[in-house]
Amino acid sequence: SLPGMIGIKLHLEASGVDMTNALHVEKLSAVFDLIAERDAPVLMHVASPIGLPLLGQEFANLAAILMAHPTVRVAHPHCAGNTDDDTIDMWLRLRLSGYNPETSYVDTSACLAFYADAPLAQRELIVWRFRKWGIGHVLFGSDYFVLDGDTPAEALDILGKYPFTEEELNTILTNDGSEWLGQ
């Protein structure tokens, strides 16, 4: 409800959210209740407090929150994990993951750089994941940090190393996020 604020960023890892702690799960669910009431978009970094992927009960608890809030538009940065640790596969494969093709978005920030020189088969797998997610829900992003990150120009160059079709690249690069933002 702050002036000019249209969404919220949640960083589970940096916030020390422990998805096995019932109190943390309850509080995060309450935050999602407010997000749903306000029809706000959310950008949500998903990892454990030490930076590892959420697994088992951690993932199940987060999935339950997302499934209880199916109208909330969630953008998952870093290929829906923590720099492509294959977490995107969990979102896509598990029927009860909370992934919703209508309200789930993913961005390319920081996750493509490591695999830019990988064998073509690995890069094809990553592109396949984005296609399964829905190219129209893929947002271009760069994580530009002074010490360890890609400038926007470098991120564009890296994106070009992946076997996307020209139409797919155009869709990703012109997706301004207005659908995710609800505008």
Side-chain angles (χ1 to χ4, degrees):
S1 61
L2 296 173
M5 186 172 171
I6 59 171
I8 187 168
K9 177 179 179 179
L10 299 174
H11 201 299
L12 301 184
E13 174 186 354
S15 301
V17 175
D18 179 353
M19 293 307 296
T20 61
N21 181 315
L23 182 59
H24 289 200
V25 172
E26 182 182 324
K27 288 183 177 188
L28 185 59
S29 185
V31 169
F32 267 82
D33 289 343
L34 291 171
I35 292 168
E37 282 177 27
R38 288 172 171 78
D39 189 31
V42 62
L43 175 73
M44 184 171 60
H45 289 257
V46 176
S48 73
I50 61 170
L52 296 174
L54 296 184
L55 299 172
Q57 194 58 49
E58 295 171 308
F59 193 86
N61 288 340
L62 179 58
I65 292 170
L66 294 177
M67 295 198 51
H69 300 90
T71 62
V72 173
R73 298 176 311 280
V74 179
H76 299 269
H78 313 307
C79 296
N82 199 8
T83 62
D84 193 49
D85 51 25
D86 297 329
T87 304
I88 193 170
D89 281 359
M90 288 190 339
W91 292 107
L92 291 168
R93 288 180 193 207
L94 300 177
R95 185 176 58 84
L96 301 176
S97 71
Y99 164 77
N100 179 335
E102 294 179 23
T103 59
S104 297
Y105 297 79
V106 64
D107 87 26
T108 64
S109 63
C111 58
L112 300 181
F114 183 76
Y115 296 95
D117 64 347
L120 180 59
Q122 179 67 35
R123 289 178 284 136
E124 287 175 335
L125 176 61
I126 292 169
V127 169
W128 174 82
R129 290 172 176 154
F130 285 130
R131 289 175 179 150
K132 290 290 275 187
W133 195 279
I135 293 293
H137 281 221
V138 176
L139 306 169
F140 172 73
S142 67
D143 254 8
Y144 179 62
F145 299 106
V146 174
L147 298 176
D148 185 25
D150 304 317
T151 66
E154 290 168 333
L156 277 171
D157 182 52
I158 290 166
L159 184 65
K161 295 179 184 210
Y162 284 79
F164 290 103
T165 67
E166 188 173 326
E167 182 179 345
E168 289 169 334
L169 283 173
N170 188 46
T171 298
I172 293 168
L173 293 172
T174 60
N175 187 345
D176 65 1
S178 58
E179 184 181 340
W180 165 63
L181 293 170
Q183 298 177 344

